[in-house]
Amino acid sequence: MSDTSTTKDLDSRLEQYRRELTGYCYRMLGSAFEAEDAVQDTMVRAWRSFDKFEGRSSLRSWLYRIATNVCLDMLNAGNRRARPMDLTSPTPVAQAQLNARPEITWLEPVPDGRVLPSVADPAETAVERETIRLAFVAALQHLPPKQRAVLILREVLAWKASEVAELLATSVASVNSALQRARATLAESEPAAADAADPLDDEQKKLLDRYVAAFEGYDMKALTALLHEDATMSMPPYDLWLRGHDDIVGWMLGVGEVCRGSKLVPTVANGSPAFAHYHPSQTGDGYEPWALIVLEVRDGMVGGMDFFLDTKRWFPLFELPDRLDGAGAPAG
């Protein structure tokens, strides 16, 4: 076989694992962009050292070992991704101030298609989706890096303790101990379970249709009818977050009034319903990107709205139009 054929064959063998490795690195790092960088680094390291791969483990296990080491190196810098509710208390709307924090502070959204493998088993699909939810990935960030790796490998990816021990070059007893500690920490900040949404059922579709109608119509009575009493709203890169109908409506009819007349385009992020939020253009012609909204839906109502405002980062990642025309359609 020629060198060119061998190279193509190796590239193909490595590439088949890119998406699941990106999901693993995303859970570890809490950043869509850092996860992609970590996987690219993993692929380069694997390609360069493939002649040393002796086949004592599967190619998949070997790649996960490399990816784990890459992530642990990245996490040694000590940065922990978070949501606004992990850093501050909810603010009454009367005292609300917009304080921006550096980009590296924030947990980032991720398109489902970049991290969720095409799995036929509905039970596996449900676990994969549940464990990329913003609230779950935020909870993972409370764990020390090695405990985080153990919990993801054991609980999410269903690896055996012996396989994880081999990957981390440690003992089964050490893996089991790390898993026990990780479970205990996670239980202290365990997020509420979200409604399954793959695919959306009829009631969920109706809920999202009503949400769009209420938001685009800026009908606060209709909007709050869809929200849990303790619903939250956040707006990274600002550390402000709000809880409850009164404060959310107070914000929307105050500083948030600039969102009146917006358009929402459906998408998906983190295993959850999401919308590209377009704001009326300042030129009066069409609509411009304003936010990526990720919803948390539980018990048939909206429990959380995360507005990610850095649209120059998020809209290209989600392959969203960079503007809409006056009719709300993608502009050419």
Side-chain angles (χ1 to χ4, degrees), residues 32 41 55 74 81 83 97 107 114 119 121 125 145 176 183 187 206 214 216 221 235 281-282 294 332:
D41 192 0
M74 293 172 75
R81 299 275 176 166
R83 304 172 77 190
Q97 293 183 326
L107 184 69
R114 292 191 181 233
V119 181
D121 185 338
T125 302
N176 289 336
R183 284 171 172 166
K206 289 177 185 176
E216 292 186 346
K221 184 176 180 181
M235 294 160 280
S281 173
Q282 292 182 340
V294 183

Short mmCIF file of all heavy atoms in Angstrom, two decimals, residues 32 41 55 74 81 83 97 107 114 119 121 125 145 176 183 187 206 214 216 221 235 281-282 294 332:
data_model
loop_
_atom_site.label_atom_id
_atom_site.label_comp_id
_atom_site.label_asym_id
_atom_site.label_seq_id
_atom_site.Cartn_x
_atom_site.Cartn_y
_atom_site.Cartn_z
N ALA A 32 -17.03 25.18 23.74
CA ALA A 32 -17.11 24.56 22.42
C ALA A 32 -15.82 24.75 21.64
O ALA A 32 -15.33 23.82 20.98
CB ALA A 32 -18.29 25.18 21.65
N ASP A 41 -5.78 18.89 18.62
CA ASP A 41 -4.49 18.56 19.22
C ASP A 41 -4.36 17.05 19.39
O ASP A 41 -3.30 16.45 19.12
CB ASP A 41 -4.37 19.27 20.57
CG ASP A 41 -2.95 19.22 21.14
OD1 ASP A 41 -2.06 18.64 20.50
OD2 ASP A 41 -2.73 19.78 22.23
N GLY A 55 -1.32 -1.35 19.56
CA GLY A 55 -2.54 -2.13 19.50
C GLY A 55 -2.87 -2.88 20.76
O GLY A 55 -3.71 -3.79 20.77
N MET A 74 -4.89 21.39 29.76
CA MET A 74 -5.59 22.66 29.58
C MET A 74 -6.23 23.13 30.89
O MET A 74 -6.28 24.33 31.18
CB MET A 74 -6.65 22.54 28.48
CG MET A 74 -6.06 22.31 27.09
SD MET A 74 -7.29 21.95 25.82
CE MET A 74 -8.00 23.58 25.56
N ARG A 81 -15.03 27.07 33.95
CA ARG A 81 -16.15 27.69 33.27
C ARG A 81 -17.39 27.67 34.16
O ARG A 81 -17.62 26.71 34.89
CB ARG A 81 -16.44 26.95 31.97
CG ARG A 81 -15.27 26.96 30.97
CD ARG A 81 -15.29 28.21 30.14
NE ARG A 81 -14.14 28.30 29.26
CZ ARG A 81 -14.05 29.16 28.25
NH1 ARG A 81 -15.04 30.01 28.03
NH2 ARG A 81 -12.98 29.22 27.50
N ARG A 83 -21.68 29.42 34.88
CA ARG A 83 -22.83 30.22 34.49
C ARG A 83 -22.95 31.37 35.49
O ARG A 83 -22.41 31.29 36.59
CB ARG A 83 -24.09 29.36 34.51
CG ARG A 83 -24.01 28.12 33.65
CD ARG A 83 -25.21 27.21 33.87
NE ARG A 83 -26.39 27.72 33.18
CZ ARG A 83 -27.62 27.24 33.35
NH1 ARG A 83 -27.84 26.27 34.23
NH2 ARG A 83 -28.63 27.72 32.69
N GLN A 97 -27.35 45.68 37.37
CA GLN A 97 -26.29 46.36 36.63
C GLN A 97 -25.59 45.35 35.73
O GLN A 97 -25.45 44.18 36.10
CB GLN A 97 -25.26 46.97 37.60
CG GLN A 97 -25.81 48.11 38.44
CD GLN A 97 -24.71 48.71 39.32
OE1 GLN A 97 -23.82 48.00 39.78
NE2 GLN A 97 -24.79 50.01 39.54
N LEU A 107 -19.25 29.37 30.75
CA LEU A 107 -19.65 28.12 30.10
C LEU A 107 -20.24 28.49 28.74
O LEU A 107 -21.02 29.44 28.64
CB LEU A 107 -20.70 27.41 30.96
CG LEU A 107 -21.17 26.04 30.48
CD1 LEU A 107 -20.06 25.03 30.63
CD2 LEU A 107 -22.39 25.61 31.29
N ARG A 114 -22.29 18.88 16.71
CA ARG A 114 -20.83 18.80 16.86
C ARG A 114 -20.41 17.85 17.97
O ARG A 114 -19.23 17.50 18.05
CB ARG A 114 -20.25 20.19 17.11
CG ARG A 114 -20.38 21.10 15.90
CD ARG A 114 -19.59 22.36 16.06
NE ARG A 114 -19.75 23.20 14.88
CZ ARG A 114 -18.76 23.71 14.17
NH1 ARG A 114 -17.51 23.43 14.50
NH2 ARG A 114 -18.98 24.48 13.13
N VAL A 119 -26.44 7.89 17.40
CA VAL A 119 -26.61 6.64 18.13
C VAL A 119 -28.03 6.13 17.92
O VAL A 119 -29.00 6.89 18.06
CB VAL A 119 -26.36 6.85 19.65
CG1 VAL A 119 -26.53 5.54 20.40
CG2 VAL A 119 -24.97 7.41 19.88
N ASP A 121 -29.55 3.69 19.66
CA ASP A 121 -30.20 3.31 20.91
C ASP A 121 -30.81 4.54 21.58
O ASP A 121 -30.09 5.45 21.98
CB ASP A 121 -29.15 2.67 21.84
CG ASP A 121 -29.77 2.14 23.13
OD1 ASP A 121 -30.86 2.60 23.50
OD2 ASP A 121 -29.14 1.28 23.77
N THR A 125 -28.98 7.78 23.48
CA THR A 125 -29.20 9.14 22.97
C THR A 125 -29.67 10.05 24.09
O THR A 125 -29.22 11.19 24.21
CB THR A 125 -30.23 9.12 21.83
OG1 THR A 125 -29.77 8.27 20.78
CG2 THR A 125 -30.45 10.52 21.27
N PRO A 145 -10.37 18.13 37.93
CA PRO A 145 -10.27 17.58 36.57
C PRO A 145 -10.27 16.05 36.47
O PRO A 145 -10.98 15.48 35.65
CB PRO A 145 -8.96 18.17 36.05
CG PRO A 145 -8.89 19.50 36.75
CD PRO A 145 -9.42 19.24 38.13
N ASN A 176 -12.68 3.93 41.51
CA ASN A 176 -13.94 3.82 42.25
C ASN A 176 -14.05 4.89 43.34
O ASN A 176 -15.12 5.44 43.59
CB ASN A 176 -14.08 2.43 42.85
CG ASN A 176 -14.35 1.36 41.79
OD1 ASN A 176 -14.86 1.68 40.72
ND2 ASN A 176 -14.01 0.12 42.08
N ARG A 183 -19.53 11.75 42.58
CA ARG A 183 -20.99 11.64 42.74
C ARG A 183 -21.48 12.46 43.92
O ARG A 183 -22.52 13.12 43.84
CB ARG A 183 -21.37 10.17 42.94
CG ARG A 183 -21.36 9.32 41.68
CD ARG A 183 -21.55 7.85 42.03
NE ARG A 183 -21.72 6.99 40.88
CZ ARG A 183 -21.64 5.67 40.93
NH1 ARG A 183 -21.37 5.07 42.09
NH2 ARG A 183 -21.82 4.95 39.84
N ALA A 187 -24.00 15.61 43.65
CA ALA A 187 -25.29 15.56 44.33
C ALA A 187 -25.60 16.87 45.06
O ALA A 187 -26.78 17.23 45.23
CB ALA A 187 -25.32 14.40 45.32
N LYS A 206 -45.98 22.94 20.84
CA LYS A 206 -46.94 24.01 21.14
C LYS A 206 -46.35 25.02 22.11
O LYS A 206 -46.54 26.23 21.97
CB LYS A 206 -48.22 23.40 21.73
CG LYS A 206 -49.07 22.62 20.74
CD LYS A 206 -50.27 21.99 21.43
CE LYS A 206 -51.06 21.11 20.47
NZ LYS A 206 -52.17 20.40 21.18
N ALA A 214 -45.19 34.87 21.96
CA ALA A 214 -45.16 35.80 23.09
C ALA A 214 -43.95 36.72 23.00
O ALA A 214 -44.05 37.92 23.23
CB ALA A 214 -45.16 35.03 24.41
N GLU A 216 -41.98 37.44 20.26
CA GLU A 216 -42.02 38.34 19.10
C GLU A 216 -43.10 39.40 19.25
O GLU A 216 -42.94 40.53 18.79
CB GLU A 216 -42.21 37.53 17.81
CG GLU A 216 -41.02 36.66 17.45
CD GLU A 216 -41.15 35.98 16.10
OE1 GLU A 216 -42.28 35.95 15.54
OE2 GLU A 216 -40.13 35.47 15.59
N LYS A 221 -47.54 39.07 29.54
CA LYS A 221 -48.52 38.21 30.22
C LYS A 221 -48.48 36.80 29.62
O LYS A 221 -48.46 35.80 30.35
CB LYS A 221 -49.93 38.80 30.11
CG LYS A 221 -50.98 38.01 30.86
CD LYS A 221 -52.34 38.68 30.80
CE LYS A 221 -53.39 37.86 31.57
NZ LYS A 221 -54.74 38.51 31.48
N MET A 235 -27.48 36.44 30.94
CA MET A 235 -27.04 37.11 29.72
C MET A 235 -25.52 37.18 29.64
O MET A 235 -24.93 38.27 29.66
CB MET A 235 -27.62 38.53 29.67
CG MET A 235 -29.13 38.60 29.53
SD MET A 235 -29.81 40.20 30.04
CE MET A 235 -29.83 40.01 31.83
N SER A 281 -32.88 45.98 12.86
CA SER A 281 -31.67 46.67 12.48
C SER A 281 -31.75 48.17 12.77
O SER A 281 -32.82 48.78 12.62
CB SER A 281 -31.40 46.46 10.98
OG SER A 281 -30.32 47.26 10.54
N GLN A 282 -30.65 48.75 13.18
CA GLN A 282 -30.62 50.18 13.45
C GLN A 282 -30.83 51.00 12.18
O GLN A 282 -31.21 52.17 12.24
CB GLN A 282 -29.28 50.56 14.10
CG GLN A 282 -29.12 50.00 15.50
CD GLN A 282 -27.82 50.43 16.17
OE1 GLN A 282 -26.88 50.82 15.49
NE2 GLN A 282 -27.78 50.34 17.48
N VAL A 294 -30.83 29.84 24.75
CA VAL A 294 -30.95 28.42 25.06
C VAL A 294 -31.97 28.28 26.18
O VAL A 294 -31.84 28.90 27.24
CB VAL A 294 -29.61 27.81 25.49
CG1 VAL A 294 -29.76 26.30 25.73
CG2 VAL A 294 -28.54 28.05 24.43
N GLY A 332 -29.75 37.49 1.70
CA GLY A 332 -28.68 37.00 0.85
C GLY A 332 -27.41 37.84 0.98
O GLY A 332 -27.39 38.88 1.53
#
